[in-house]
Amino acid sequence: MATIHIDGQPFAARADTNLLQACLSAGTDLPYFCWHPDLGSVGACRQCAVKQYSGPDDTRGRIVMACMTPVTDGAILSTRDAESLDFRSSVVEWLMTNHPHDCPVCEEGGECHLQDMTVMTGHHARRYRFRKRTHRNQDLGPFVKHEMNRCIACYRCVRFYRDYAGGEDLAAFASHNSVYFGRAESGTLESDFSGNLVEVCPTGVFTDKPFSSRYVRKWDMRGAPSVCVHCAVGCNTILNERDGSLRRVLNRYNGEVNRYFLCDRGRFGTGFVNAASRLRAPLLRASDGSLQATSMAAALALFGEALSTGPVIGIGSPRASLEANFALRTLVGAQNFHLGVSGIEHDLLTLTRDILRVSPARIATLHQAEQADAVLVLGEDVSKTAPRIGLALRQSVRQASFEAAAQARIPLWLDAAVRSLGTDARSPLFQATPAATDLDPIAVANLRLAPEDIARLGFAVAHCIDPASPQVVDLAEAMAGQARAIADALLAATRPLVVSGGQCGSAPVLQAAANIAAALHRTRPETRLMLTVAECNSMGLALLGGEPLDAAMEALEAGMVATVVVLENDLFRRVPQARLLHALARARHVVALDHLASATTQVAELVLPTATFAETDGTLVSHEGRAQRFFQVSFPVAPVQDAWRWLRDGAKAAHRHDLDWQHLDEVIADLCAAHPALTAMRGAAPDAGFRIAGSPIRSETHRFSGRTAIHANVSVRDAKPEANIDGPLSTTMEGYYGEMPAALRPYFWAPSWNSGQSLNKFQDEVGGPLRGGDPGIRLLDGDPVPWRYHDAIPGAFQPRVDALMVLPKGRLIGSEELSDRAPAAKPRIEPAALSVSPAMRQALGATTMLSLTGAVHAVAVVADPAIPEGVALFPAHAHPFPGFADPQWAETAAP
Amino acid sequence: MLSNVRTLWLTFLHLFHRSETVGYPETKPYMAPRYRARIILSRDPDGAERCVSCNLCAAVCPVDCISLQKTEDQGRWYPEYFRINFSRCIFCGLCEEACPTYAIQLTPDYEMSEYERPNLVYEKEDLLISGTGKYPDYNFYRVAGMAVPGKDKGEAEREDPPVDIHGLLP
Amino acid sequence: MTLGFGILEIVVSLAAMLSAAAGLTWVERRLLGFWQDRAGPNRVGPFGTLQAVADGVKLLFKQDWIPPFADRGVFILAPAAGMATVLLGFAVIPVTAGWSVAGHLNVGILFFLAMTSLGVYSVVLGGWASNNKFALLGGMRAAAQMVSYEVFMGLSLLGTVMLAHSFSLVDIVMAQGRMWFIVPQFLGFVTFLLAGIAETHRLPFDLPEGENELGAGFHTEYSGMKFGMFFIAEYAGIVLIASMITTLFLGGWLGPVLPPVVWFLLKTGLTICFFILLRAALPRPRYDQLMMFGWKVLLPVCLLNVAVTGAAILLFSPTG
């Protein structure tokens, strides 16, 4: 730590940072544009000029760019010196010479970093009388709007898009005043992280297109801290709502998880909350076989009757909260509770949970993954199944350049210089996957193998690292060499990371990954392991425990079930259609609780409308076992209500009195009492009684408008504000906003920092943890258990002549159930095609009849040179095989 | 004590002063053109709605009686609905001050009492007039950088034509 | 005096009293209007004279609301008690030598004092029965204020009694044949005037109502005709105090040329106008100032007045 003097006050500052970062960490309001905590400094905007003095006797000082000047012990700065103030106001005036008179019609207006900085710098009247340069805009696809006139050329967009996220199709064109940031020609941005441009851009060049279609200003939206439900990473988000509709999703910084960036699935996939396919009333199957809307009382009467008709089984859901699943489990009894995932997925999930519990190599947070200096990815295309992990792995390969920079005495924040070094110095990233991934270009080696071979490679790597781990017999020469190379690279690292997951549906792959991590951990104590799971609460389900879906199907088929209650789960995505229809037909009552109409609700006898994650509170457990609470931002109109309330009301209607919860906290208390492994989840966020200075946390900004007019067309009398009985957030602008637990932060705002950049005010230090600790409680970090290597090494993959091994392919949009239903994301769903090796493509032709999940459909066939023989990939859950998610042998036939 | 007596005396003398009361409605008072009463939405000189739905009037309204929703038509922003609850309005005029496009204006028409409160809720159709109001010449899109129907990029006041990004000349 | 004539006298007096009180509501607002350079009520009837009727109709047709939390019996009793005590007070007022409802009552002053003292109950009970913080505070203030000013009211009248050698109001008027008691009893007049204002809790001594801090004080919860009774009782109280001042200090019905009734009404009317002028001109004191003024200024002044009057009588009386 160094001591620097800012405007006469001494502050402690980290020596490896720059003066701008130090000033911001010290709470000084110093304007800046081009610097970004995760993108580093480039010195493009000249806005953060301060005066530095060489010593106490120096009275003249000199202007330096704070973002380009390292912190030195004893540095003396003045941010309020007249000359630097003048310099900064001149700079902003230049930047504004070409900025259009657009703020009223700009989506960034009111949360614009450029507005904030202009006001902060004191430039308020235009003196430049000449003409403004203009640009034509491009259509950048369904997610991002382009308005180039507003650009101030800070280069943040290309630095994020190209340098940070590895995108290729956004670039800087032309020169000097005319510099243009866009694509070579109009077209959809290809990167899976394009939405971050909205937050990265300090002004309104890139704005959120879906949000713009139902736009309101930042101050007019209620905010609530939430957790992304579109994959298992558990990125923290802020939901913004107004007038009953969810308007947008913003990144909510969590120093250990998503930090500054979200993927496009998380940011633009939430449209399902407002979708027309939402269920808004209970549906009852009428005598003519159609589903008819009915009253809450009638629905509950039937629900009660169904629950009284035993035996009852419950099918939970990996996309429902822990609380909702627990409510169902309590309702039907532990032995009748099914996790709602297929047998294969259930086994993998249980295995993943057990490995993560006992592995000596501890679970990597996303931030730790960014800092890994050697990475091995086994069998999982994380860039699609959990895109944010892919982005983190992209950063990990920069570790070598950081070391090179340190040797060359270049500070790490000097981004352009470090990146130049990085073109030659890259940390190793190895991928062993069945097909190409987005990370291929930055990987040292990409091995394209069938799942069994991936596992064998993994076991071989583990054996190379620790001979005590089981040896793979009859390993091919080439693979042995590859294993050796990977082992050497991993051993050369100090913070190696092993990434794997259940995408291949292969337990040995997971076991091999666990073996490698454990073997590495013996000599590399900072080894980390990262195993992804399929859905946002898969890990929560694994911790809750229950039978797989197959057991439910068997019980149904055996006719041993009178009533089946399906919680927020489209079973057609998990069980072959024919089998499911047959099984459900054997039950007397099929009750489906869901917020979206699905194939399952179509066949149910009774459908109860539940609340989406935006309308209820609950806890999700991420792939790293991090329990995180999401809070409701929207207050649904009855009869839509939380799933656990439906289940409670059903129990009441069935004259049971053991589920008499009134508040979420009571559900959580019972859950913690019933599941010792989950007890810590109670601490994921403060409970509903939490108050600061006697007040709840306010969820609306102090400037929230239209209260007395917004519903005046319905009733001129002011409506009573909604009551939030389950969480510590008030529903109005009344309440506390200031220092608060990070898990409750409903929006980021600080005086004179209206944009998301106000985040700096809520971190311990810029880029560090949120003040009060990053939210989330890790549930899988138990006491160390003696490690035993897994030794179930599979035989090598044997291609079959009569069938293809079809593996699920991840897609950003289209393979995940909820984002699939977001209208804004629809155009981004790639058409489904069967990817096969070129030789197989020749054999199959352009289309083939594929028999998968018990159905036969014609699908397009495309060649992918990377795919090994005998293996094919088809997008998971894609039309026409919504039930396809687990690898299986599939036959093909000529159409 | 004496001052109290003096007060009594001075007050008593007011018996012989002229009454200030104006006998409305028999006598109509003169209202200055900038008097702050009924709020209207004006149109720009081309006849299009001036309101661009920037929400500033709603934000500045101390009684929160303005509510609107943005929508867009070929790049031009409009309010999908624009609602003022006059039963809450205090005619402070801050909305007019905040309006960057001169769309929302207060007029001297103060006779807008109603027997039913819901009749005081004015929608966009009730607020929109066909003229420019107090500011005859201003057209926001002529000075803004956005392309709207009838004004392409580079055609606003003091704008250069769009840059050819393929040209390499400085 | 026949019974019939007595009843007629009562009816006429009551009718005159009540219509005077009602009319006063209009007179006061008109006068206040003039003193504040505005019109006052001028819409209903010629010059707004029917305003009182309109108000009466409005009050009659208002919902007669008794709050569910109120003490029902007492809540209803309180305004009636207020009205009754004020009206009873009029029984002893000699409008002319022969015209007084109670006839030539030899303890007229004591009866009047008794009735005004009873009036306190109305306010206190109203405030208490409303079961409302503001009303209770108003009632408390009224009790303290009226009990305090009761003392000097009695004391301030002792001078006139001493001079007239009688408690009978008729005798007191008759004793002013040579000189109105306002001259020898100026201090008594001033203290009685102030005490009278305080008794009727009129501005500037209307702290029991104190709109700006107590809502409407003791009658916060009252509406409709019950409020109307408090309202009328207040104006009737003004008339009563004004008539007492006329009787005790301004020579009652005595006067040249005009008939005695006219003299009485004229003097009373002017006194009432003075009351209204006080309201128009003076601000309300703070509560502690009011109490301090009563106990530390008015009480000594009254005692001094009694002592000086007594001494003067001893000094100058022919028997002394």
Side-chain angles (χ1 to χ4, degrees):
Chain A
M1 284 302 235
T3 304
I4 60 169
H5 300 267
I6 305 169
D7 298 321
Q9 295 287 319
F11 289 100
R14 282 220 330 261
D16 59 348
T17 58
N18 55 53
L19 289 180
L20 173 60
Q21 208 167 335
C23 285
L24 293 172
S25 294
T28 313
D29 284 347
L30 185 58
Y32 63 88
F33 291 113
C34 65
W35 172 83
H36 182 283
D38 258 13
L39 303 177
S41 309
V42 289
C45 71
R46 320 310 281 176
Q47 186 59 70
C48 61
V50 293
K51 198 164 237 188
Q52 185 169 18
Y53 299 90
S54 54
D57 304 327
D58 181 4
T59 51
R60 290 189 58 192
R62 64 199 168 91
I63 295 268
V64 297
M65 295 307 128
C67 76
M68 300 300 280
T69 313
V71 166
T72 45
D73 198 19
I76 301 170
L77 304 180
S78 170
T79 61
R80 288 181 232 146
D81 156 77
E83 206 179 341
S84 58
L85 283 176
D86 189 43
F87 187 100
R88 295 203 296 263
S89 75
S90 301
V91 168
V92 92
E93 195 168 354
W94 298 325
L95 289 174
M96 294 295 284
T97 53
N98 283 324
H99 195 74
H101 182 62
D102 264 4
C103 300
V105 289
C106 175
E107 289 88 345
E108 196 85 355
E111 52 177 325
C112 176
H113 190 56
L114 179 60
Q115 275 181 340
D116 287 349
M117 297 300 105
T118 309
V119 172
M120 193 181 287
T121 319
H123 171 58
H124 51 79
R126 184 180 173 82
R127 291 188 293 166
Y128 181 78
R129 292 176 295 113
F130 304 98
R131 301 204 284 187
K132 295 177 180 177
R133 66 107 177 82
T134 60
H135 278 300
R136 293 208 178 278
N137 304 328
Q138 290 176 331
D139 180 1
L140 297 179
F143 292 158
V144 180
K145 228 178 166 182
H146 196 215
E147 184 63 46
M148 252 316 287
N149 280 359
R150 299 171 185 155
C151 181
I152 56 164
C154 70
Y155 284 75
R156 270 185 175 195
C157 51
V158 286
R159 281 156 59 210
F160 168 77
Y161 197 90
R162 299 181 74 88
D163 299 349
Y164 192 92
E168 306 262 302
D169 58 328
L170 185 85
F173 298 95
S175 61
H176 72 107
N177 240 1
S178 311
V179 70
Y180 186 90
F181 299 92
R183 301 181 81 243
E185 52 194 21
S186 270
T188 303
L189 286 172
E190 288 159 12
S191 170
D192 295 345
F193 303 94
S194 61
N196 293 299
L197 292 176
V198 176
E199 285 189 52
V200 163
C201 178
T203 177
V205 177
F206 299 99
T207 49
D208 186 330
K209 200 179 253 181
F211 173 44
S212 177
S213 67
R214 291 288 295 164
Y215 179 75
V216 275
R217 298 278 172 208
K218 174 183 180 175
W219 61 71
D220 273 346
M221 290 182 286
R222 179 186 291 146
S226 191
V227 177
C228 182
V229 292
H230 300 292
C231 82
V233 174
C235 294
N236 292 192
T237 57
I238 285 175
L239 300 184
N240 278 159
E241 179 260 11
R242 183 176 176 82
D243 199 11
S245 76
L246 182 64
R247 301 300 176 104
R248 67 163 172 188
V249 173
L250 281 180
N251 183 52
R252 178 165 62 101
Y253 180 89
N254 181 327
E256 296 197 318
V257 189
N258 48 311
R259 291 174 69 79
Y260 293 92
F261 307 113
L262 285 182
C263 72
D264 284 357
R265 190 200 293 167
R267 189 182 297 272
F268 301 111
T270 47
F272 71 90
V273 173
N274 307 329
S277 53
R278 271 296 297 282
L279 299 168
R280 303 281 184 190
L283 303 175
L284 191 60
R285 192 154 304 281
S287 48
D288 64 350
S290 64
L291 279 174
Q292 300 291 340
T294 182
S295 72
M296 197 165 176
L300 280 174
L302 182 73
F303 192 20
E305 187 200 318
L307 289 174
S308 314
T309 333
V312 183
I313 65 164
I315 299 177
S317 167
R319 65 170 162 89
S321 67
L322 269 184
E323 289 83 351
N325 278 303
F326 172 72
L328 179 62
R329 193 177 194 269
T330 315
L331 181 72
V332 299
Q335 69 284 358
N336 295 324
F337 177 68
H338 301 74
L339 291 192
V341 294
S342 69
I344 296 176
E345 194 180 341
H346 177 268
D347 295 346
L348 291 174
L349 205 49
T350 320
L351 178 65
T352 308
R353 176 197 70 194
D354 294 342
I355 290 174
L356 290 178
R357 263 203 185 129
V358 302
S359 167
R362 291 319 299 149
I363 312 161
T365 63
L366 222 50
H367 190 40
Q368 284 164 342
E370 287 174 354
Q371 293 164 329
D373 53 358
V375 181
L376 171 61
V377 182
L378 280 185
E380 179 92 3
D381 179 6
V382 284
S383 63
K384 293 299 182 194
T385 59
R388 189 61 188 79
I389 297 181
L391 189 63
L393 296 185
R394 257 180 210 287
Q395 313 318 311
S396 74
V397 300
R398 297 191 62 209
Q399 291 300 321
S401 67
F402 293 159
E403 274 162 38
Q407 274 173 11
R409 299 170 59 108
I410 300 172
L412 300 186
W413 43 263
L414 213 50
D415 196 61
V418 177
R419 291 210 183 260
S420 303
L421 273 175
T423 49
D424 299 325
R426 265 194 192 157
S427 301
L429 166 68
F430 296 95
Q431 289 196 106
T433 51
T437 77
D438 288 357
L439 297 178
D440 283 1
I442 54 162
V444 176
N446 294 302
L447 309 178
R448 297 287 107 93
L449 301 169
E452 286 84 345
D453 294 334
I454 294 173
R456 286 165 67 82
L457 173 78
F459 281 112
V461 172
H463 181 71
C464 291
I465 296 167
D466 179 11
S469 78
Q471 190 176 3
V472 184
V473 289
D474 56 80
L475 190 66
E477 191 80 14
M479 196 180 272
Q482 287 159 346
R484 185 74 256 166
I486 295 171
D488 288 346
L490 291 176
L491 280 169
T494 52
R495 298 179 300 277
L497 169 71
V498 182
V499 180
S500 186
Q503 193 186 15
C504 284
S506 161
V509 169
L510 289 172
Q511 290 166 337
N515 274 8
I516 300 170
L520 277 170
H521 182 263
R522 287 170 58 249
T523 52
R524 303 287 178 272
E526 286 183 60
T527 304
R528 300 282 168 178
L529 178 62
M530 182 180 254
L531 301 181
T532 69
V533 289
E535 287 176 65
C536 60
N537 201 23
S538 293
M539 189 54 77
L541 274 190
L543 289 167
L544 210 53
E547 300 294 314
L549 202 45
D550 294 354
M553 289 300 123
E554 281 155 21
L556 280 164
E557 283 157 356
M560 297 185 324
V561 175
T563 300
V564 54
V565 183
V566 185
L567 170 69
E568 296 183 3
N569 200 339
D570 181 7
L571 301 178
F572 287 88
R573 290 169 67 88
R574 304 177 193 276
V575 183
Q577 186 180 355
R579 183 181 186 194
L580 182 61
L581 287 174
H582 172 72
L584 291 181
R586 301 291 304 268
R588 205 173 312 154
H589 300 292
V590 179
V591 182
L593 290 83
D594 211 337
H595 42 76
L596 282 172
S598 69
T600 306
T601 63
Q602 283 304 311
V603 300
E605 180 196 16
L606 174 66
V607 181
L608 302 174
T610 61
T612 62
F613 80 117
E615 295 150 359
T616 180
D617 297 341
T619 313
L620 301 175
V621 184
S622 78
H623 71 96
E624 55 162 323
R626 183 184 292 270
Q628 302 186 106
R629 185 88 25 91
F630 58 90
F631 291 97
Q632 75 182 119
V633 70
S634 188
F635 294 83
V637 190
V640 175
Q641 63 174 353
D642 319 59
W644 65 265
R645 287 202 158 93
W646 275 119
L647 296 166
R648 173 202 65 187
D649 293 347
K652 209 176 279 173
H655 307 294
R656 280 178 52 183
H657 303 290
D658 51 338
L659 286 78
D660 58 348
W661 307 302
Q662 297 305 312
H663 307 293
L664 184 76
D665 289 331
E666 295 170 18
V667 187
I668 293 176
D670 279 4
L671 195 163
C672 293
H675 295 273
L678 288 165
T679 310
M681 66 79 92
R682 193 198 291 251
D687 63 19
F690 180 81
R691 295 289 182 272
I692 296 177
S695 296
I697 309 298
R698 72 168 179 228
S699 60
E700 292 175 353
T701 68
H702 61 290
R703 197 157 289 185
F704 196 86
S705 80
R707 183 180 55 83
T708 64
I710 189 161
H711 296 129
N713 56 333
V714 181
S715 166
V716 74
R717 302 176 65 179
D718 292 352
K720 201 175 160 205
E722 294 96 345
N724 183 2
I725 56 171
D726 289 333
L729 288 108
S730 82
T731 60
T732 64
M733 63 209 286
E734 285 178 39
Y736 177 86
Y737 187 81
E739 289 293 323
M740 62 176 82
L744 295 182
R745 179 79 51 191
Y747 55 92
F748 288 112
W749 179 86
S752 51
W753 295 78
N754 298 299
S755 75
Q757 315 270 339
S758 57
L759 171 62
N760 294 334
K761 301 277 180 195
F762 304 108
Q763 293 165 319
D764 275 344
E765 56 171 325
V766 171
L770 286 170
R771 221 171 282 147
D774 286 319
I777 299 279
R778 296 236 294 194
L779 300 176
L780 292 171
D781 294 331
D783 296 325
V785 181
W787 171 256
R788 280 189 57 239
Y789 284 113
H790 295 278
D791 51 7
I793 302 173
F797 174 69
Q798 301 296 337
R800 271 164 58 179
V801 280
D802 59 331
L804 283 166
M805 182 70 201
V806 183
L807 301 172
K809 183 179 158 188
R811 295 193 294 181
L812 181 75
I813 312 277
S815 289
E816 191 270 330
E817 184 178 356
L818 298 176
S819 57
D820 200 7
R821 312 286 286 271
K826 277 246 157 61
R828 286 295 302 268
I829 300 179
E830 302 148 33
L834 187 72
S835 313
V836 293
S837 63
M840 186 55 78
R841 165 71 174 73
Q842 285 258 287
L844 291 178
T847 50
T848 185
M849 297 302 289
L850 183 67
S851 76
L852 206 58
T853 63
V856 184
H857 291 287
V859 295
V861 184
V862 293
D864 182 347
I867 292 180
E869 273 318 313
V871 174
L873 273 88
F874 191 77
H877 301 298
H879 180 78
F881 301 107
F884 171 64
D886 299 326
Q888 50 196 275
W889 290 102
E891 288 165 11
T892 55
Chain B
M1 184 47 106
L2 267 182
S3 71
N4 282 341
V5 174
R6 183 168 170 270
T7 308
L8 283 173
W9 175 242
L10 291 179
T11 309
F12 177 73
L13 286 185
H14 275 270
L15 199 58
F16 311 105
H17 283 216
R18 243 185 78 114
S19 166
E20 297 286 342
T21 308
V22 178
Y24 179 84
E26 292 87 359
T27 328
K28 303 257 185 203
Y30 166 74
M31 290 290 150
R34 297 202 317 186
Y35 187 81
R36 299 193 311 260
R38 189 164 68 90
I39 299 174
I40 54 100
L41 288 174
S42 62
R43 292 175 185 272
D44 65 25
D46 301 340
E49 281 174 47
R50 260 183 181 151
C51 176
V52 298
S53 178
C54 71
N55 278 287
L56 288 182
C57 50
V60 81
C61 179
V63 288
D64 284 347
C65 75
I66 305 179
S67 180
L68 64 154
Q69 171 61 51
K70 175 246 170 186
T71 188
E72 201 175 318
D73 179 25
Q74 299 171 59
R76 200 178 161 118
W77 286 29
Y78 290 101
E80 179 185 287
Y81 73 83
F82 193 108
R83 187 174 302 134
I84 300 183
N85 180 355
F86 278 109
S87 70
R88 289 281 180 180
C89 180
I90 57 171
F91 300 97
C92 63
L94 289 180
C95 48
E96 181 172 3
E97 294 221 19
C99 184
T101 66
Y102 292 137
I104 195 166
Q105 297 179 13
L106 277 76
T107 65
D109 173 16
Y110 55 87
E111 291 179 316
M112 51 189 303
S113 311
E114 296 282 353
Y115 284 102
E116 304 281 334
R117 269 180 78 198
N119 294 346
L120 284 167
V121 177
Y122 281 38
E123 297 289 340
K124 188 168 104 174
E125 302 75 56
D126 310 321
L127 296 164
L128 202 60
I129 63 165
S130 45
T132 55
K134 284 176 267 186
Y135 308 94
D137 300 325
Y138 188 72
N139 186 338
F140 170 75
Y141 283 106
R142 294 275 151 207
V143 293
M146 306 246 293
V148 295
K151 192 215 80 175
D152 199 6
K153 280 282 160 87
E155 291 177 2
E157 288 166 23
R158 294 218 187 105
E159 272 191 357
D160 279 330
V163 170
D164 172 17
I165 57 167
H166 302 293
L168 289 175
L169 288 172
Chain C
M1 199 188 294
T2 65
L3 184 66
F5 181 71
I7 291 174
L8 184 70
E9 203 174 46
I10 291 172
V11 170
V12 169
S13 295
L14 272 181
M17 262 306 303
L18 288 174
S19 47
L24 258 187
T25 61
W26 171 75
V27 170
E28 167 156 50
R29 284 150 71 186
R30 266 314 259 205
L31 279 178
L32 285 178
F34 290 146
W35 279 320
Q36 292 165 356
D37 292 351
R38 56 186 175 83
N42 63 351
R43 292 274 157 182
V44 192
F47 304 105
T49 41
L50 296 181
Q51 184 67 41
V53 179
D55 287 348
V57 170
K58 185 191 77 171
L59 282 174
L60 274 174
F61 281 94
K62 277 223 163 179
Q63 188 189 3
D64 189 20
W65 163 253
I66 297 173
F69 45 79
D71 182 334
R72 211 182 152 81
V74 183
F75 190 83
I76 295 169
L77 191 66
M83 195 76 185
T85 51
V86 173
L87 291 180
L88 280 173
F90 273 98
V92 293
I93 304 289
V95 180
T96 63
W99 187 1
S100 167
V101 176
H104 194 133
L105 192 64
N106 58 0
V107 288
I109 286 188
L110 294 183
F111 183 84
F112 160 77
L113 288 175
M115 284 303 125
T116 49
S117 308
L118 278 175
V120 184
Y121 283 101
S122 141
V123 177
V124 175
L125 292 179
W128 182 82
S130 297
N131 198 4
N132 166 316
K133 292 184 187 67
F134 290 141
L136 185 63
L137 281 172
M140 294 283 292
R141 282 185 177 190
Q145 174 178 328
M146 291 172 82
V147 166
S148 305
Y149 277 74
E150 203 71 48
V151 177
F152 347 117
M153 187 181 245
L155 278 175
S156 64
L157 295 182
L158 278 188
T160 53
V161 173
M162 284 196 250
L163 287 179
H165 299 286
S166 172
F167 279 111
S168 160
L169 291 168
V170 177
D171 290 351
I172 290 173
V173 174
M174 298 308 279
Q176 299 180 62
R178 214 155 45 93
M179 186 202 291
W180 294 357
F181 281 164
I182 189 170
V183 180
Q185 281 300 312
F186 187 71
L187 281 180
F189 166 72
V190 171
T191 44
F192 182 77
L193 177 70
L194 291 174
I197 297 168
E199 278 290 310
T200 50
H201 38 85
R202 281 279 302 172
L203 266 141
F205 293 156
D206 66 336
L207 289 118
E209 288 172 41
E211 295 89 343
N212 47 359
E213 67 254 29
L214 291 183
F218 62 90
H219 61 64
T220 303
E221 294 289 354
Y222 281 88
S223 66
M225 212 49 222
K226 291 196 192 62
F227 166 75
M229 280 161 90
F230 273 126
F231 195 57
I232 295 299
E234 182 182 326
Y235 283 97
I238 299 167
V239 179
L240 177 62
I241 296 291
S243 334
M244 278 308 281
I245 288 173
T246 308
T247 309
L248 293 171
F249 297 101
L250 301 179
W253 66 84
L254 299 177
V257 186
L258 297 170
V261 180
V262 176
W263 272 115
F264 180 85
L265 293 179
L266 198 64
K267 290 175 186 173
T268 309
L270 286 175
T271 314
I272 290 170
C273 289
F274 182 69
F275 269 64
I276 297 169
L277 179 62
L278 282 177
R279 174 178 184 173
L282 295 180
R284 182 190 295 150
R286 226 169 42 223
Y287 187 64
D288 61 316
Q289 292 170 332
L290 176 84
M291 296 305 277
M292 200 167 72
F293 183 66
W295 289 107
K296 293 189 180 170
V297 179
L298 289 184
L299 182 61
V301 166
C302 282
L303 291 173
L304 184 73
N305 183 39
V306 172
V308 170
T309 311
I313 289 171
L314 284 179
L315 224 62
F316 300 114
S317 85
T319 54

